[in-house]
């Protein structure tokens, strides 16, 4: 942030934290959203930012933007793999609610199905309604519960998530908690 009067950064004495969200990887290279903030983000913030990126990609995809549709597919695929292969198994191992995980996995299955049919108005509506409710449930209830249950182990889990490979396929379900 720049101070208009002095032309100097107002954050010169603040140690900035860098976070990133991989967006896509292809033959031409990779792209990622890189953000810097005065405060380090944690697991809930990172997964919530994923939801924001998915919704931004969806908005473009619904307008016919092919690049944004690719962004949507890549961001959603990576996010679902994070939850199914890393987050949900860790939660269940720590005594998490198996009914919640089954329900979320079922919603993931429906999101994958309708993602491949976004040109169909009925599938598009189902996808939009499901995604909105799904994200809110995770951010307001599921993620805070998982974070509380994992305690100090959440930091190591966040590191594993950041190391996840970029190339995942939205059509293929994760192999962890969602068979």
């Amino acid at each position: 942030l720049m101070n208009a009067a002095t032309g100097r950064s107002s954050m010169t004495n603040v140690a900035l934290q860098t976070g990133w969200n991989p967006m896509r990887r292809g033959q031409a290279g990779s792209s990622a959203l890189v953000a810097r903030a005065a405060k380090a983000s944690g697991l809930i913030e990172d997964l919530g930012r994923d939801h924001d990126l998915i919704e931004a990609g969806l908005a473009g995809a619904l307008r016919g933007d092919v690049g944004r549709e690719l962004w949507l597919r890549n961001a959603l695929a990576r996010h679902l793999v994070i939850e199914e292969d890393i987050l949900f198994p860790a939660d269940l191992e720590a005594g998490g609610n198996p009914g919640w995980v089954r329900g979320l996995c079922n919603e993931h299955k429906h999101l994958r199905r309708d993602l491949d049919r976004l040109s169909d108005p009925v599938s598009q509506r189902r996808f939009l309604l499901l995604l909105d409710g799904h994200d809110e449930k995770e951010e307001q209830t599921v993620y805070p519960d998982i974070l509380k249950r994992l305690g100090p182990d959440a930091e190591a889990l966040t590191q594993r998530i950041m190391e996840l490979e970029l190339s995942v396929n939205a059509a293929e379900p994760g192999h962890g908690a969602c068979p």
Side-chain angles (χ1 to χ4, degrees):
L1 300 175
M2 297 297 284
N3 181 320
T6 65
R8 294 187 356 208
S9 170
S10 61
M11 299 182 75
T12 53
N13 293 327
V14 177
L16 295 176
Q17 303 293 319
T18 302
W20 65 284
N21 288 69
M23 298 309 299
R24 82 183 144 133
R25 184 166 119 185
Q27 292 181 347
S30 299
S31 64
L33 171 70
V34 178
R36 294 182 68 183
K39 179 181 163 206
S41 63
L43 185 62
I44 292 175
E45 294 85 6
D46 290 345
L47 294 170
R49 186 172 45 246
D50 274 1
H51 289 161
D52 293 341
L53 295 171
I54 290 163
E55 290 169 13
L58 177 60
L62 293 176
R63 288 190 312 269
D65 184 325
V66 176
R68 289 291 174 103
E69 183 175 343
L70 180 60
W71 173 351
L72 165 64
R73 290 178 180 281
N74 287 330
L76 182 62
R78 183 176 180 276
H79 184 79
L80 296 180
V81 167
I82 285 169
E83 290 181 346
E84 295 172 3
D85 291 355
I86 299 173
L87 188 64
F88 294 165
D91 180 47
L92 291 172
E93 188 175 309
N97 185 330
W100 282 7
V101 171
R102 273 192 308 278
L104 293 167
C105 289
N106 187 48
E107 290 176 1
H108 288 183
K109 179 179 76 171
H110 290 287
L111 287 169
R112 282 186 177 93
R113 178 199 64 206
D114 290 333
L115 176 63
D116 288 333
R117 302 175 186 161
L118 278 183
S119 60
D120 171 56
V122 173
S123 293
Q124 187 180 99
R125 181 166 162 54
R126 268 195 319 247
F127 187 87
L128 290 167
L129 290 171
L130 179 57
L131 185 65
D132 184 49
H134 181 84
D135 290 354
E136 185 174 334
K137 180 183 350 179
E138 287 182 336
E139 291 176 21
Q140 300 300 316
T141 306
V142 176
Y143 294 161
D145 183 71
I146 291 173
L147 189 62
K148 186 173 91 177
R149 188 176 320 299
L150 293 177
D153 293 336
E155 189 172 324
L157 199 65
T158 302
Q159 185 60 38
R160 266 187 71 201
I161 289 169
M162 293 305 292
E163 293 169 357
L164 182 66
E165 183 65 34
L166 294 180
S167 57
V168 293
N169 184 341
E172 295 177 13
H175 304 288
C178 301

